[in-house]
Each structure stands twice: as C-alpha cells, then as structure tokens.
Amino acid sequence: MKRPLQVVHIINNLPVGGAERFLLLLAAAQRRQGLHVEVVALTEPNPLAAALADRGIPFTCLRSGSLRDVRVLAPLWRHLRRGRPDVVHTHLFYADTFGRLAAHWAGVPVIVSTEHSTERAALPWRRSVAMRLSAPLAMRIVAVSESVAKATQRRFHLPASRVEVIPNGIEIEPWVAAQPVPRADLGVGPGAFLVGSVGRLDDAKGHDVLVNAIAELQDPRVEVIVVGDGPRRQALEAQAAKRGVAAKIHWLGWRTDIPAILATLDAFAQPSRFEGHSMALLEAMAAGRACVVSDLPELTGTLGDTGLRAAVGDPVALAARLGELRDDAALRTRLGHAARAACAAYSIEVSAAHYDDLYTRVAAERGS
C-alpha cells in the first residue's frame, strides 16, 4: 500500500494572524484528505498550537528567542533528517529563509513556499538579499492572489513558471451557522448601526482610516467593534479619543467567538493599505455581511461586485460607503447574500486539493 504523503509546514511562529490561521485550516484539511501533516514553528509565541492539538496535528517549536537567530538552522535540519518528509512547505520570511536552507541540506525532495502578502513597503537590504538568495531553493512559490504573484516575480526575479496562484480558503460552515452575540455583551447600544473590523492592529490594516471615517460620519447611531490586537492599539485608542469617537469604538482584542461577532454586524469594513488574500474578508463574506473594502486588487478581486469599495487611505470615501449601507437595509441584505454565495469558491478543501496537486506535480518533475 502506498504510504500517505508526508508534509512538514514550517512557519515563524503561531500568533493569531491571517497566514497562521490559514496554515491551521490548510493542515487540518490536508489531514482530512489523507496526507500526514506536521507543523514546525521556529520560535515562540504559539497561541494557535492548542488549535492544532485539538485537530490532531503534530506540532514542534524548535526554540525560544529571536527569529533572526541563525542557530535555529541546526535543530531544524536535524528534525527534517529524522522525519525525512516528502514535502517541506514554508510560510513567512524567516521560515522561508531558514526552512528552504534546512530542507535543501536535508535532501527533502519537494520544497514549496507560500507568499501571503505583497509587502509593498521597502524591505531592509539584508532581508531582500536573503529572500532572493533562498528563493531558488523553492521548486515553486505559491502566491495567494494574482497581485501577490506579480509582486513575487518582481521581488525575486523569478520567471512566471516558478510562481503559481492558489487563493486562501476557509471552513465556510462555522460562519454560515453562527448565531449573533447579544449586542449588550459587546457594550453596543440598542438600535446602533454596527460596523465591525477584524485584524492585527498595525499600519497595514488601516484602522486609523476607519477611526477617521467614523469621525467624519458624525452619526450617534454608528458604533464600531474592532477584533484584534497589535502594536498600534494604544495609538489608535488615542486617535479615537482625539477625534471625539472613543465611546463609539469598542476594542475587543482577540476573541475566539469571531463567527458569532460577525453574525452580529450590520456591515464589515476592511480599510487595508496592503493585503494578500484576506482571511478576514472571506470570513465576513461567509457570514453574509455587507462589506466595504479598500480599492486594492487583493481585496476587490475577492469581493467583486458583492460589496462596496473606497479609495485606499481615504476616510471621507469610507465614511460615504458606510453611510450608504447605514441608510439602505435592502442594499445590505442583497450584498450580504451575494457575498456569501461568492465565498463558496474559497473553501479550504478546494485550496488543500490545489496544494496536493502542486506537491504531486513537483515531485513528478523531480522524479521522486
């Protein structure tokens, strides 16, 4: 009997972020499809490790300390030599750099990496050099969207044949079946028009644009809940206070009941400055929410005509789109139904099947 394909996913660590949550879902779907899957983190912290354990997926954290520490290469090489996987699949910069090297030295037949975002900001020269030097060790680099694919080809000087597009996927049913949270439990007043956003609080996600948009609306009926945490939280709270909307924006931190929270919203906002293929947007679409996103190809390519868009970094435009949804319940319902229908194309099972096909094709090319 042919043994299951042995796949080791390597990632920096497992905080609650989009790439990390996608890896959790992908590993679980691959396990359901018959692959033998393991996840290796270079360092701590790893709050999502418990979710891997719940799904029966082996997990190893190699060491504590800095992600920049090249000494992680030795235990990573030893781990791969012992396990002798068929495929090493890396995610995010440090895991890409160290994982490709260790897998190459360990003689792993298939090495694949996923690029999760465009990283439009200028990169430090050391990081840029490391990325370009390690990229040739990956037989394929997967981009989560066409825009990410183009950026990856430019950044790594790779031919198009080395880069493939496989969109992210989600487990759709939990978002469809979720029941709303009582609004009082969220600190939201009765009769509010409730806008929500989910994501790490950093510059890329554009929460400052949302704060300014709420200030532009000047509507006491509009309230916002923000799920997530990150380095910009204190500055964002100060900004909300300065703009006079501190009482209207509820900072919830990371939550485990996001499906129920999304089911509570009237509208979902994602004012990102750059993205890859947003897990948060897919989840809001599956929840049947009317969505407003930045006019980025990475977001609008997923949302299509099932939602509204505003110029990147423009709080006045975002306020106008939210105002449209506030004033038109029929529009909200129509867009929410259309978004849920469109999200069916982004099942994690579909994404996992595409990755399995990729592993098989690359293995065949290499005669393994």
Side-chain angles (χ1 to χ4, degrees):
M1 179 183 293
K2 184 179 178 181
R3 70 177 178 87
L5 197 68
Q6 313 286 309
V7 180
V8 173
H9 290 279
I10 303 174
I11 195 163
N12 294 352
N13 42 37
L14 288 172
V16 185
E20 296 81 7
R21 289 189 297 123
F22 171 69
L23 174 54
L24 168 66
L25 297 179
L26 176 61
Q30 289 178 326
R31 186 172 184 268
R32 290 192 295 271
Q33 293 177 359
L35 282 65
H36 183 280
V37 183
E38 177 188 1
V39 175
V40 173
L42 300 183
T43 69
E44 300 169 334
N46 296 297
L48 288 181
L52 286 172
D54 290 343
R55 294 164 183 259
I57 299 166
F59 170 75
T60 301
C61 179
L62 294 175
R63 59 184 292 132
S64 58
S66 170
L67 278 169
R68 297 182 178 89
D69 193 339
V70 298
R71 288 177 294 180
V72 77
L73 272 168
L76 181 55
W77 175 81
R78 287 193 295 268
H79 189 89
L80 297 176
R81 286 291 291 176
R82 283 194 303 269
R84 296 193 175 276
D86 303 300
V87 178
V88 160
H89 186 161
T90 69
H91 307 258
L92 304 179
F93 168 68
Y94 292 103
D96 288 343
T97 303
F98 297 138
R100 292 166 185 161
L101 283 169
H104 176 70
W105 291 336
V108 176
V110 175
I111 305 171
V112 171
S113 299
T114 294
E115 282 291 308
H116 291 272
S117 73
T118 52
E119 290 199 74
R120 293 184 178 184
L123 298 176
W125 72 267
R126 287 188 180 88
R127 181 165 176 169
S128 180
V129 169
M131 293 169 79
R132 289 186 182 180
L133 289 177
S134 68
L137 299 178
M139 291 87 184
R140 288 293 194 285
I141 295 181
V142 175
V144 297
S145 71
E146 292 290 348
S147 297
V148 173
K150 292 175 183 176
T152 299
Q153 290 171 42
R154 289 194 302 270
R155 189 185 310 139
F156 298 151
H157 300 280
L158 292 173
S161 61
R162 292 281 305 285
V163 181
E164 297 198 18
V165 177
I166 301 178
N168 289 339
I170 62 170
E171 293 173 344
I172 294 174
E173 182 56 30
W175 309 93
V176 174
Q179 296 299 308
V181 177
R183 288 189 169 194
D185 293 354
L186 301 173
V188 176
F193 175 75
L194 185 58
V195 178
S197 184
V198 178
R200 178 173 164 81
L201 304 185
D202 59 20
D203 288 333
K205 300 300 181 183
H207 291 98
D208 58 309
V209 181
L210 179 58
V211 170
N212 287 332
I214 299 308
E216 290 287 337
L217 274 172
Q218 289 291 313
D219 187 339
R221 297 171 295 168
V222 177
E223 296 192 46
V224 178
I225 55 175
V226 179
V227 179
D229 214 333
R232 293 286 297 164
R233 178 164 180 170
Q234 186 174 1
L236 289 166
E237 290 180 348
Q239 177 191 353
K242 183 176 181 180
R243 295 300 310 268
V245 293
K248 298 163 65 65
I249 302 179
H250 310 274
W251 309 91
L252 303 185
W254 287 115
R255 302 272 297 224
T256 59
D257 57 346
I258 298 177
I261 289 175
L262 288 181
T264 310
L265 302 178
D266 294 304
F268 177 83
Q270 185 147 5
S272 302
R273 290 185 170 87
F274 66 84
E275 275 289 350
H277 188 235
S278 172
M279 298 287 287
L281 176 59
L282 290 177
E283 291 161 356
M285 292 170 67
R289 300 304 92 188
C291 300
V292 183
V293 301
S294 295
D295 194 8
L296 294 172
E298 297 89 344
L299 295 174
T300 59
T302 300
L303 189 60
D305 59 1
T306 71
L308 304 181
R309 60 190 69 183
V312 178
D314 187 341
V316 176
L318 180 58
R321 301 293 84 75
L322 291 173
E324 289 179 42
L325 294 178
R326 174 200 58 197
D327 297 338
D328 194 336
L331 175 63
R332 296 198 301 270
T333 299
R334 178 174 62 79
L335 292 178
H337 288 167
R340 175 173 285 170
C343 192
Y346 297 105
S347 162
I348 189 62
E349 307 298 335
V350 173
S351 185
H354 285 311
Y355 275 108
D356 190 16
D357 174 69
L358 174 63
Y359 301 157
T360 303
R361 284 189 285 110
V362 174
E365 290 171 9
R366 296 182 60 78
S368 60

